[in-house]
Amino acid sequence: KVHESNGNHSKNNDQSINGYLTSLNLILHENEYDLTSVDSIVKKCIAIVFDNWQAVKHVICHDSDETDLHLMYPDGNIDIHLILSTAFRTTKESSALLHTLIQVYPLSGEQLIEIGEFLIDQLFSIRHSGAFQSVSPTFLACCLRCRKENPSLLKKWLDDVLKSLEIKTQNVTRRSGGIPSLLTVILATETNNERPLLKHAFEVLTRIASTKIDEHQDKVDLPQVNAFNCIKAIFTESKL
């Protein structure tokens, strides 16, 4: 059903996969498996999560208002609110499934990188607060695991986010979408009391925010605005 919905989310709107995702998550979370023989299960679950995102991404990351979604489904008799609700719920449930995999099951270094980069792409792309709030806890779990198994990844991801923030041209919400969450989650996992990552991020954000805006520059989704929103998020995040 995930593959069938790819590119046409209305196809299985009356037979949502939310329940399947929830059930699968509960089965994997509550049952004890031999962790040495679950590689195929983990791979399949990761593939399901990634495929589901491809199926709903065009809805979750839609730039315009809801009425424009009608143009994406010209057949008529389509409940746009139902499509949005279904897309949000499948994003939430698939993220919860990924959260369980990260917390409970063995993952290779390659899988951990793949999951982290996938979550970063989600948080950069999502437009709606409810959606990125459901993804942020999963990214936090991923960063905490990376802190134990491959801490150098966190510095790389932080640099990637800061670089993307500076050159990003896609429209996001007025609070910069999931970008502040990306930064604060990475920084919140820092264990060094000197907080080198926090200092580095704050210096870069301050530089971006202080950059002069060209008189003729488009005022939508300015890097300076996103930087200010990230700075605000750092000050309001209790773990920082």
Side-chain angles (χ1 to χ4, degrees):
K1 290 184 179 180
V2 171
H3 285 291
E4 289 176 358
S5 298
N6 201 346
N8 184 5
H9 198 60
S10 63
K11 187 175 180 63
N12 289 310
N13 230 16
D14 58 339
Q15 300 179 35
S16 174
I17 66 168
N18 298 329
Y20 293 112
L21 291 170
T22 303
S23 299
L24 182 57
N25 181 34
L26 288 173
I27 291 171
L28 293 176
H29 192 273
E30 299 297 332
N31 287 272
E32 295 184 1
Y33 293 97
D34 181 0
L35 297 183
T36 62
S37 60
V38 293
D39 287 352
S40 61
I41 296 176
V42 170
K43 289 179 182 178
K44 183 63 175 178
C45 288
I46 292 174
I48 289 173
V49 173
F50 288 4
D51 288 345
N52 179 73
W53 175 242
Q54 291 304 313
V56 302
K57 185 176 182 179
H58 68 290
V59 176
I60 299 294
C61 302
H62 192 58
D63 287 329
S64 304
D65 59 44
E66 294 178 4
T67 57
D68 286 345
L69 285 173
H70 286 285
L71 301 176
M72 302 170 66
Y73 301 97
D75 296 336
N77 299 320
I78 299 297
D79 187 338
I80 297 301
H81 292 283
L82 178 59
I83 289 177
L84 283 168
S85 176
T86 302
F88 290 152
R89 291 204 308 272
T90 57
T91 300
K92 178 181 178 179
E93 297 303 334
S94 63
S95 185
L97 174 58
L98 204 56
H99 192 283
T100 295
L101 295 179
I102 294 169
Q103 285 195 316
V104 179
Y105 289 87
L107 298 171
S108 68
E110 183 178 343
Q111 286 174 324
L112 197 57
I113 293 173
E114 191 176 29
I115 290 172
E117 292 179 349
F118 166 77
L119 292 169
I120 289 172
D121 176 65
Q122 274 192 316
L123 288 168
F124 250 120
S125 304
I126 288 173
R127 303 286 180 266
H128 305 279
S129 61
F132 66 70
Q133 285 172 5
S134 69
V135 174
S136 291
T138 305
F139 184 57
L140 174 59
C142 182
C143 288
L144 287 172
R145 182 156 178 172
C146 285
R147 174 61 61 191
K148 296 179 180 178
E149 298 182 10
N150 190 355
S152 62
L153 268 178
L154 297 177
K155 176 62 164 62
K156 178 185 181 301
W157 287 345
L158 177 63
D159 287 338
D160 289 345
V161 171
L162 291 171
K163 183 178 179 181
S164 298
L165 174 67
E166 197 163 5
I167 63 175
K168 184 172 171 58
T169 58
Q170 285 182 298
N171 294 337
V172 294
T173 66
R174 62 190 176 91
R175 294 187 181 87
S176 302
I179 300 174
S181 293
L182 268 173
L183 282 173
T184 54
V185 165
I186 294 174
L187 296 175
T189 62
E190 189 172 23
T191 56
N192 188 329
N193 290 333
E194 297 296 324
R195 308 308 295 266
L197 293 185
L198 177 59
K199 292 178 180 178
H200 169 64
F202 198 82
E203 289 174 359
V204 174
L205 290 171
T206 303
R207 175 177 56 79
I208 295 173
S210 303
T211 303
K212 184 178 180 181
I213 300 175
D214 186 82
E215 181 180 356
H216 303 291
Q217 187 175 355
D218 188 356
K219 301 301 188 293
V220 177
D221 193 31
L222 290 172
Q224 292 90 329
V225 174
N226 291 330
F228 270 115
N229 285 332
C230 289
I231 291 172
K232 178 182 177 181
I234 288 174
F235 277 105
T236 57
E237 171 56 58
S238 60
K239 295 180 181 178
L240 297 176

